[in-house]
Amino acid sequence: MKKFRKVLDGLTTSSPVNVGGVPLCSSAAGTPTAAPTPRDIEVAETLVSENFQICKTVRHGFPYQPTALAFDPVQKILAIGSRTGGLRILGRPGVDCYCQHESGAAVLQLQFLINEGALVTACADDTLHLWNLRQKRPAILHSLKFNRECITFCHLPFQSKWLYVGTERGNTHIVNVESFVLSGYVIMWNKAIELSTKTHPGPVVHLSDCPRDEGKLLIGFESGTVVQWDLRTKKADFRIYYDEAIHSVSWHHEGKQFMCSHSDGSLTTWNLRNTSRPFQVVFPHGKAQRDGRKPESCKPILKVEYKTSKSGEPFVIFSGGLSYDKASRRPALTIMHGKAITVLEMDHPIVEFLVLCETPYANEVQEPYAVAVLLEKDFIVVDLTQSNYPIFENPYPMDIHESPVTCTAYFADCPPEIIPALYSIGAKHKKQGYSHKEWPVSGGTWTLGAQTYPEIIITGHADGSIKFWDASAITLQMLYKLKTSKAFEKPKAGEVRAVELVEEDPFAVQMVSWCPHSRLFCVVGISAHLILYRFSKYDVTTEIAALEVRLQCDIEETISPSEAEPNAGLTDPNLQSPQHPPGSPGCATPEGIRDSIPCLRVKNRPVRMPPGYQAELVVQLLWVDGEPPQQITSLDINSAYGLLALGNCNGLAVVDYIQKTVLLCMSTLELYGSSDPYQRLTRSPRKSRQFAAGSGSGAGAGAGAGYCPTSTPLSTHSTDNICMRGLSNFYSDSKKRIRTSYQSLTELSDNQVSLELERSRSPTSDHVNGHCTSPTSQPYSAGRPRLPCPEGPKLSRRGPSRPPFRKAQSAACMEVSLPASHTEGCASRRAMLQQLHGFSMYSHDEQHTTAYTWNERESRENSFSRSRSSSVSSIDRETKEAVTTLRFMESYARKVDAVSSPCLWVGTSLGVVLVIALSIPMDEEERQEEPVTVMPSGTVLMLKGSVLTFGSLDCSGGLISNPYEVWRDPHAPEDPDCPRRRKLVNFSPSSSQDAAGEGHLVVVCSEKQAKVFLMPAQTRLYVHHITESSFVLRADVVSVCNSVCLACFCANGHVMTLSLPSLRPLLDVNYLPLTDMRIARTFCFADGGQALYLSSPTEIQRISYTQEMCDSLQDMLGELFTPVETPEAQNKGFLKGFFGGNAQTFDREELFGEAAAGKASRSLAQHIPGQGSIEGMKAAAGGVVGDLARARLAAEERGQRLGELEERTALMMSSAEMFSKHAHELMLKYKDKKWYQF
């Protein structure tokens, strides 16, 4: 049991006064006689450290940068290797396993031990690994590191335990896959070629045994030399020398001929009867010359597969080989079947392809039925059984990166009816033309686990699309796709509006907010626009309502702390500038300066919307006096209130989406009123001044709402102030509120500042050489100076022709590492913050710009600009206080309130929390007509660092959910007997506990600390400093294990959980010591102890941080290996066997075993025991347990030796019996013969 302590932080329960004696807040109704006061409350906290453990659960998406592909035709499972050492094993839907090589070396080749439950990987660090697939989490059994030679090609014959390994030097080694030991049998390159050959044949590019005789090994060298090596006699049967380099070789199943692909785009067929010249030379895509000369060369054919079929002509399938004169043509896969040639063009370059055949035996008719094609950014399977070669519908979520992912959101324990509703709508828009056959990769088994509840992942993309994914039971399946661009007009031919305002990807999704219960969905885009969607099962034709908000901050203030306590320090009213009436017109802007126009144009005609999410309202921020709108940094929507709120670095806007009006449009400074805890040194006013929203968009609504915004002076500072541009704050879910601070941070190592000044500054912003490097500000060029206004000269912050937004920066493309500590100093931190919140760098020095595109950024990702400037003058420390997080909740706006009411909690980049009181009509008819009153309450709470999240708890420690409206179809037919009415579900503090008026707890988390306040007394009960050397990127109040906690993810890679309300540390794990920007922008928590992030531009990694989930994970994973009988080889018949049709077998053990070939040199390769092997157990064993394990291993080894001895004894007995038999026969033969008859 934990007891709240009476911590008043210098405050009393009565209304405090400011420095000038003005009360913090007042109530029109007077002070209630029974105001709630802090008291001792007992809260039972059930969470302990043992409830938490972090582990990876499953990875979804397409393997990033794939390099290799393999298929087990018996088990029917597929393996994909990647450049970063990743290994992905796929079976039927639900069977999906991700493994990682510790070295991180690229996977060069994969070889299944067919139907053995094992896999061999060859990596770029010249190491072979043997993976055990007979467990849900595959592990490495053995590794073999080559020291002196580089691995280039591997081949493992079916049902063989000897692996052929070709090297860059041209040698071929043989490895026993059971013990992973090199054999002494080596095929040296100088013995494989003729002695008269003066040049090296090059690396080994192909190895395969002859289908007719397993004792014949075909070796292909890069230079064009092909050698068939007789393993028994250790001699070459024949050697082929060809002028063109060889890329691949493929046998005919009868073993009498083979086909080679070459670098000149040709295919050569060789017959074993005559190897002096090729039997046939074909240029499939080459143009024939009229004079009979050799056809012109084409692009190299990188791989060819020669497969026979019972039904007719063989299949010849190859990649590449296109003509050079068609440089613009896309990569292609060519299928030659008889005289028909089909070219399948691909969207991405081909990495590897495999032909899937009915039989695993190389000496049988192959009967191909599909081609698995691994592309750089996709994976497809082509159906060969149909003449039009359709592709199979891919059951895996391989198209997450169809458009670059810019934001993610994760919702656990959703209403059960939401997934069928989304699936039924999305199924109507599925693509057609797929093969009707079942997906051929059908291996493994998977069943639903015990802990299954509806989970949904939402991804936003650079093209403005939204995807809803069913993430239940560690699977991922796309439910529904929404295109936000359909709400806007397409730019007409010759129209420069869109090109001028937004360069590329103007619809890129920046953040989302979704209420699963009311099915309201809100999307924020890069062009400072917001779209509200409602879900309906009926199509409708209607107009989209549009609101324009003129949200522009006209003050650039320098902030310094007051001498008093932050909660009590107020601004001197004498410093306020004269007030202007709301909506008063500003000065006329010069000709050519954009003003009061949005970045995009909403469709102004009736639009037909299909069933699903239908756009109802578009809110756009406007250009103001040539200044583009700042991007939206925070968002919240509440269906019960009918309100949505949005904020950016200029201020806050509250919109009533029921009445389609703007209720509040104010700068952050104006929200304080007389309760500003900072002293702001004002500047000379700017004459051009406009406050209200544009005409027809609720202009001047602030006055009608009961609050009159006040005018504030402006700064004449021009080109040195840099505003946020580009996709600079793509974050993980609906709030996207990481790193939105705008306060300058000085280098403590170079310049000492007072403690008070340090406390007032946000720890997340900086100035480098006078340029703002705040994570949510995007530097851009000053451009050309504007034309001078008639009122006086003034420079524009950016040229009028400079597009305010650059190409959408995908959150999937972030590759920059964050520092794990502060040992590198503040300069590295500044550079990291620049990388964290934008990659478009604009220089101010020479009035030129340098905008990095995606491809350019990848080469510059680690080139930090490290400035050591220590200039911290007040002129340079100009900032804008951004709204970083918003939350609608039932709370107490003032200390004197006795009853909870709707409120909007606002968090800023300076660590300030503001509470705005809302007065909402309760009756449904009145709600449609009566105005909603919005009034800043004057309540101010302070934290260190930018505010990230809010949470509401009742006084028993239970989570108070947001009130919501139960979903009803807005376009369903009217029922006269049952009129539709709004049904609200309210979770107010008084309804969640027995005693009304007891108050509730508010959890506030910032980048540096977390606090728990008791409302309405505003008493700080608990405080916890989360980190000193780093900062929190993501924080959420989540439900886990039938309780609630605060989950945090820090920039140094630590994942932490804190108990609520006492803020006890429960978990602190260094999960990602060197995390990168992609993870920082997409990391998000969900209820149930789960989280996710974008681990690569194409993959989503899900993790769990609860012990319960980690324990049940083993039951939820699929089985990769299932016992399947190996198909029997076909009987060739007597005649074929008599005439040599049957394949000859031989005992490889006799040739490659230690008894015959001896031991290989120890310096050639080093055996490394894996974690899953007996040797690995030996190395890891220790103490009594280790002794027991060693004793057990010794017993097993002794039993193994006894077994081997028994086998040898039996073999000797058999040999003795055979010798005795032959001797007896010989004796009988010569028994009755005389000596002269011999």
Side-chain angles (χ1 to χ4, degrees):
M1 306 294 284
K2 301 293 179 183
K3 291 188 176 183
F4 290 143
R5 297 169 296 175
K6 298 180 180 179
V7 182
L8 302 182
D9 291 338
L11 299 176
T12 61
T13 55
S14 60
S15 298
V17 294
N18 64 1
V19 197
V22 181
L24 266 177
C25 58
S26 61
S27 175
T31 304
T33 56
T37 58
R39 59 188 182 87
D40 291 336
I41 306 172
E42 294 184 352
V43 177
E45 292 186 1
T46 59
L47 293 179
V48 293
S49 299
E50 287 72 19
N51 295 126
F52 295 92
Q53 180 188 351
I54 192 166
C55 66
K56 294 181 179 180
T57 54
V58 68
R59 181 170 293 202
H60 303 296
F62 179 76
Y64 183 54
Q65 295 180 332
T67 55
L69 179 68
F71 181 72
D72 188 327
V74 179
Q75 287 290 320
K76 296 191 179 301
I77 57 176
L78 186 88
I80 300 176
S82 71
R83 190 177 301 175
T84 57
L87 178 62
R88 195 80 169 272
I89 304 172
L90 302 169
R92 66 176 67 249
V95 179
D96 189 341
C97 181
Y98 172 78
C99 309
Q100 176 69 40
H101 292 87
E102 292 183 1
S103 64
V107 179
L108 300 180
Q109 196 174 353
L110 301 170
Q111 286 282 330
F112 273 106
L113 276 67
I114 297 177
N115 204 27
E116 295 291 336
L119 175 70
V120 175
T121 60
C123 296
D125 59 350
D126 306 313
T127 305
L128 297 174
H129 303 278
L130 178 64
W131 292 82
N132 178 19
L133 306 184
R134 293 180 178 245
Q135 55 194 49
K136 292 187 176 182
R137 294 280 194 179
I140 294 179
L141 295 174
H142 302 280
S143 297
L144 189 65
K145 169 71 175 176
F146 281 75
N147 297 323
R148 293 185 291 180
E149 298 190 53
C150 300
I151 299 173
T152 57
F153 195 86
C154 298
H155 171 64
L156 181 65
F158 179 49
Q159 293 181 328
S160 170
K161 68 175 183 179
W162 297 97
L163 174 72
Y164 302 110
V165 181
T167 67
E168 192 176 18
R169 292 186 180 181
N171 302 326
T172 301
H173 301 275
I174 302 173
V175 179
N176 187 327
V177 294
E178 291 182 351
S179 60
F180 243 54
V181 175
L182 270 179
S183 169
Y185 193 112
V186 183
I187 305 174
M188 305 299 292
W189 67 270
N190 54 358
K191 294 184 178 180
I193 64 174
E194 292 181 353
L195 296 177
S196 59
T197 306
K198 298 180 180 180
T199 59
H200 191 279
V204 175
V205 296
H206 177 80
L207 292 169
S208 62
D209 48 352
C210 177
R212 293 179 60 188
D213 187 356
E214 295 177 350
K216 311 285 187 179
L217 182 66
L218 193 70
I219 307 174
F221 298 94
E222 188 181 54
S223 62
T225 302
V226 180
V227 177
Q228 180 168 290
W229 183 263
D230 192 327
L231 296 170
R232 302 181 184 89
T233 62
K234 300 183 180 181
K235 294 181 180 180
D237 288 345
F238 63 82
R239 300 178 178 91
I240 295 174
Y241 299 96
Y242 196 68
D243 297 335
E244 298 294 334
I246 290 177
H247 287 281
S248 69
V249 181
S250 182
W251 280 98
H252 188 279
H253 81 276
E254 292 180 350
K256 298 179 181 179
Q257 61 183 14
F258 59 88
M259 183 177 293
C260 301
S261 66
H262 300 276
S263 58
D264 62 346
S266 65
L267 295 174
T268 57
T269 306
W270 300 83
N271 197 311
L272 298 189
R273 293 180 180 178
N274 183 12
T275 58
S276 60
R277 59 186 178 88
F279 173 72
Q280 186 181 28
V281 180
V282 179
F283 286 82
H285 297 294
K287 294 182 180 179
Q289 303 292 337
R290 294 182 179 178
D291 53 1
R293 292 182 300 174
K294 177 183 176 181
E296 63 180 14
S297 297
C298 298
K299 296 178 182 179
I301 297 179
L302 302 179
K303 184 177 181 180
V304 64
E305 291 277 5
Y306 189 15
K307 302 298 180 182
T308 53
S309 175
K310 295 179 181 178
S311 57
E313 298 289 336
F315 284 88
V316 177
I317 304 171
F318 60 89
S319 61
L322 298 179
S323 176
Y324 278 109
D325 62 352
K326 298 178 181 178
S328 61
R329 289 188 63 173
R330 295 183 293 180
L333 182 77
T334 304
I335 302 175
M336 299 172 59
H337 189 208
K339 296 182 178 180
I341 300 179
T342 305
V343 179
L344 305 179
E345 290 190 345
M346 304 294 171
D347 295 331
H348 309 285
I350 298 174
V351 176
E352 175 70 284
F353 75 89
L354 293 174
V355 180
L356 311 187
C357 302
E358 296 289 349
T359 176
Y361 295 95
N363 58 354
E364 297 179 356
V365 179
Q366 299 299 290
E367 204 65 38
Y369 61 88
V371 182
V373 186
L374 179 63
L375 309 177
E376 275 191 2
K377 296 183 179 180
D378 201 0
F379 175 71
I380 63 172
V381 180
V382 181
D383 187 356
L384 294 179
T385 61
Q386 301 183 39
S387 58
N388 59 340
Y389 301 127
I391 65 173
F392 291 87
E393 184 177 5
N394 196 330
Y396 314 126
M398 294 286 190
D399 57 345
I400 293 176
H401 62 289
E402 184 179 14
S403 174
V405 178
T406 53
C407 74
T408 58
Y410 191 8
F411 300 87
D413 204 7
C414 300
E417 67 276 2
I418 189 65
I419 290 181
L422 290 171
Y423 182 80
S424 62
I425 299 298
K428 300 177 182 177
H429 305 285
K430 281 192 173 182
K431 296 179 181 179
Q432 304 297 324
Y434 292 111
S435 173
H436 299 294
K437 293 190 175 182
E438 292 184 359
W439 179 252
V441 185
S442 57
T445 56
W446 178 76
T447 56
L448 287 172
Q451 294 184 351
T452 57
Y453 45 83
E455 299 175 68
I456 289 180
I457 294 174
I458 300 177
T459 56
H461 301 265
D463 62 353
S465 61
I466 302 285
K467 292 182 179 179
F468 290 79
W469 305 84
D470 178 11
S472 306
I474 70 171
T475 61
L476 196 69
Q477 180 182 9
M478 195 175 79
L479 297 172
Y480 175 68
K481 184 178 180 180
L482 172 67
K483 295 182 179 180
T484 62
S485 59
K486 292 185 176 181
F488 301 97
E489 296 281 2
K490 294 182 179 179
K492 298 179 181 178
E495 186 179 6
V496 297
R497 173 189 178 93
V499 178
E500 284 185 359
L501 298 182
V502 182
E503 287 183 359
E504 295 185 46
D505 299 318
F507 312 109
V509 179
Q510 192 171 350
M511 66 180 74
V512 296
S513 180
W514 185 49
C515 177
H517 301 281
S518 62
R519 303 188 187 178
L520 278 179
F521 187 56
C522 204
V523 180
V524 170
I526 187 64
S527 300
H529 66 274
L530 179 151
I531 311 175
L532 175 65
Y533 289 90
R534 284 186 183 270
F535 186 83
S536 176
K537 297 180 180 179
Y538 304 90
D539 57 354
V540 65
T541 301
T542 183
E543 291 189 4
I544 303 174
L547 289 177
E548 295 177 349
V549 178
R550 192 179 178 87
L551 186 60
Q552 194 77 3
C553 178
D554 292 328
I555 183 168
E556 296 163 2
E557 67 278 2
T558 300
I559 302 174
S560 61
S562 63
E563 297 299 329
E565 188 71 13
N567 279 348
L570 304 177
T571 304
D572 189 345
N574 295 328
L575 293 179
Q576 297 291 339
S577 65
Q579 296 187 3
H580 297 281
S584 61
C587 67
T589 58
E591 186 178 357
I593 300 301
R594 300 186 181 93
D595 187 67
S596 299
I597 59 173
C599 295
L600 302 173
R601 187 167 57 190
V602 182
K603 292 181 178 179
N604 57 1
R605 63 183 185 278
V607 180
R608 182 190 175 277
M609 302 179 189
Y613 274 104
Q614 301 165 350
E616 177 179 311
L617 174 67
V618 175
V619 180
Q620 291 183 283
L621 304 186
L622 301 177
W623 284 66
V624 178
D625 192 21
E627 298 290 337
Q630 298 292 310
Q631 294 177 13
I632 299 170
T633 58
S634 55
L635 166 71
D636 195 26
I637 185 171
N638 190 280
S639 57
Y641 302 160
L643 303 177
L644 63 87
L646 58 98
N648 63 5
C649 67
N650 287 332
L652 171 69
V654 180
V655 176
D656 184 346
Y657 65 80
I658 294 179
Q659 299 183 18
K660 308 296 189 296
T661 58
V662 179
L663 301 176
L664 182 71
C665 180
M666 303 176 65
S667 69
T668 313
L669 178 61
E670 293 167 335
L671 294 175
Y672 288 100
S674 61
S675 304
D676 192 351
Y678 295 108
Q679 297 288 347
R680 307 182 189 249
L681 306 180
T682 57
R683 302 257 178 189
S684 58
R686 188 166 56 182
K687 295 182 180 181
S688 175
R689 173 81 173 151
Q690 295 188 20
F691 266 101
S695 59
S697 63
Y707 189 80
C708 178
T710 59
S711 176
T712 49
L714 310 178
S715 170
T716 57
H717 187 64
S718 57
T719 57
D720 285 341
N721 185 25
I722 306 167
C723 302
M724 174 178 61
R725 292 293 178 269
L727 276 183
S728 59
N729 51 350
F730 279 151
Y731 303 118
S732 55
D733 71 350
S734 59
K735 304 298 183 196
K736 299 299 179 299
R737 39 194 185 275
I738 66 177
R739 321 297 297 128
T740 50
S741 301
Y742 283 80
Q743 179 97 11
S744 63
L745 176 69
T746 60
E747 297 183 26
L748 298 181
S749 59
D750 296 335
N751 185 62
Q752 296 297 327
V753 293
S754 65
L755 177 62
E756 291 80 6
L757 181 59
E758 177 62 22
R759 288 186 61 186
S760 68
R761 270 199 306 271
S762 167
T764 61
S765 57
D766 202 358
H767 272 72
V768 177
N769 290 334
H771 301 317
C772 175
T773 57
S774 165
T776 50
S777 64
Q778 181 61 45
Y780 69 97
S781 146
R784 300 190 303 269
R786 272 191 303 182
L787 295 175
C789 290
E791 293 78 9
K794 181 171 59 175
L795 292 179
S796 171
R797 298 179 186 171
R798 50 182 301 283
S801 62
R802 177 69 199 170
F805 305 117
R806 61 188 173 85
K807 183 172 181 179
Q809 180 64 53
S810 165
C813 302
M814 318 305 170
E815 298 289 347
V816 184
S817 296
L818 289 172
S821 65
H822 261 36
T823 56
E824 297 183 7
C826 297
S828 63
R829 188 167 183 271
R830 293 192 188 115
M832 178 271 298
L833 292 176
Q834 269 192 335
Q835 299 287 346
L836 175 61
H837 292 276
F839 285 84
S840 180
M841 303 301 180
Y842 301 98
S843 171
H844 289 253
D845 298 332
E846 308 295 336
Q847 293 192 6
H848 68 277
T849 62
T850 306
Y852 296 164
T853 61
W854 285 343
N855 294 332
E856 292 170 344
R857 179 205 49 72
E858 291 182 359
S859 62
R860 305 170 187 258
E861 56 191 11
N862 289 321
S863 58
F864 287 164
S865 172
R866 305 195 175 200
S867 169
R868 288 287 179 180
S869 171
S870 59
S871 173
V872 290
S873 66
S874 61
I875 296 178
D876 294 331
R877 293 200 308 267
E878 298 184 73
T879 66
K880 291 182 179 180
E881 185 175 5
V883 177
T884 57
T885 183
L886 297 166
R887 172 75 181 271
F888 287 104
M889 69 171 76
E890 291 282 326
S891 184
Y892 302 86
R894 304 171 182 87
K895 290 186 177 183
V896 295
D897 291 348
V899 180
S900 63
S901 62
C903 295
L904 173 62
W905 284 65
V906 181
T908 73
S909 57
L910 297 184
V912 179
V913 177
L914 304 170
V915 183
I916 297 177
L918 308 173
S919 178
I920 304 174
M922 299 304 296
D923 184 73
E924 183 172 359
E925 295 181 358
E926 293 180 358
R927 181 65 184 87
Q928 299 288 337
E929 300 174 358
E930 295 295 326
V932 176
T933 303
V934 181
M935 174 70 73
S937 65
T939 298
V940 178
L941 305 175
M942 296 291 296
L943 285 86
K944 181 181 178 182
S946 176
V947 181
L948 299 180
T949 190
F950 296 116
S952 180
L953 308 176
D954 58 30
C955 288
S956 61
L959 182 65
I960 302 177
S961 303
N962 287 340
Y964 63 87
E965 176 189 1
V966 178
W967 175 77
R968 56 176 182 171
D969 199 321
H971 304 298
E974 293 285 351
D975 188 356
D977 299 332
C978 183
R980 291 187 297 168
R981 298 186 62 86
R982 295 183 71 199
K983 182 180 179 181
L984 305 181
V985 178
N986 190 11
F987 299 96
S988 64
S990 59
S991 64
S992 62
Q993 52 203 41
D994 299 334
E998 197 175 41
H1000 73 111
L1001 308 176
V1002 174
V1003 182
V1004 186
C1005 184
S1006 71
E1007 297 168 327
K1008 290 290 186 179
Q1009 60 182 191
K1011 290 185 178 181
V1012 176
F1013 295 93
L1014 175 63
M1015 302 300 291
Q1018 301 177 16
T1019 304
R1020 188 191 70 181
L1021 299 174
Y1022 289 96
V1023 61
H1024 178 74
H1025 296 279
I1026 300 174
T1027 177
E1028 293 295 337
S1029 62
S1030 184
F1031 50 90
V1032 179
L1033 290 172
R1034 176 71 189 176
D1036 280 301
V1037 177
V1038 293
S1039 298
V1040 292
C1041 304
N1042 299 320
S1043 187
V1044 63
C1045 72
L1046 177 64
C1048 303
F1049 175 65
C1050 295
N1052 58 8
H1054 282 247
V1055 176
M1056 293 180 284
T1057 58
L1058 306 174
S1059 68
L1060 290 177
S1062 65
L1063 298 177
R1064 286 182 300 107
L1066 299 173
L1067 174 72
D1068 188 354
V1069 177
N1070 191 4
Y1071 176 64
L1072 295 168
L1074 290 177
T1075 183
D1076 53 43
M1077 299 304 121
R1078 184 191 319 107
I1079 298 175
R1081 296 177 183 229
T1082 59
F1083 198 101
C1084 55
F1085 293 100
D1087 292 337
Q1090 300 195 68
L1092 65 81
Y1093 58 90
L1094 212 63
S1095 58
S1096 73
T1098 61
E1099 295 170 289
I1100 290 177
Q1101 177 68 57
R1102 293 166 65 180
I1103 66 173
S1104 173
Y1105 51 92
T1106 61
Q1107 183 67 50
E1108 183 181 7
M1109 183 67 181
C1110 294
D1111 293 340
S1112 61
L1113 179 62
Q1114 193 70 13
D1115 297 331
M1116 302 172 68
L1117 296 175
E1119 292 279 357
L1120 296 174
F1121 178 80
T1122 54
V1124 178
E1125 290 188 5
T1126 303
E1128 295 182 359
Q1130 296 179 2
N1131 188 3
K1132 299 289 185 178
F1134 173 75
L1135 293 178
K1136 276 196 173 184
F1138 183 78
F1139 290 104
N1142 277 339
Q1144 299 181 22
T1145 60
F1146 78 109
D1147 188 0
R1148 295 184 175 90
E1149 183 69 31
E1150 293 183 358
L1151 292 176
F1152 307 146
E1154 184 177 337
K1159 293 183 179 181
S1161 173
R1162 292 185 178 181
S1163 61
L1164 184 61
Q1166 176 187 1
H1167 178 262
I1168 304 172
Q1171 295 297 325
S1173 65
I1174 293 179
E1175 290 83 355
M1177 292 176 60
K1178 285 181 180 179
V1184 177
V1185 178
D1187 294 337
L1188 292 175
R1190 281 191 288 270
R1192 180 180 176 184
L1193 292 173
E1196 291 179 357
E1197 291 176 356
R1198 182 172 180 273
Q1200 185 177 357
R1201 294 193 191 99
L1202 290 175
E1204 293 176 357
L1205 180 61
E1206 185 178 355
E1207 291 178 359
R1208 290 181 183 178
T1209 304
L1211 184 61
M1212 291 177 63
M1213 290 179 61
S1214 176
S1215 300
E1217 290 178 359
M1218 188 66 66
F1219 178 78
S1220 174
K1221 179 180 177 182
H1222 286 305
H1224 184 69
E1225 291 176 354
L1226 187 63
M1227 184 267 294
L1228 293 177
K1229 180 178 179 181
Y1230 297 106
K1231 174 178 155 182
D1232 298 328
K1233 290 186 178 181
K1234 303 296 183 181
W1235 62 270
Y1236 52 82
Q1237 292 178 329
F1238 289 96

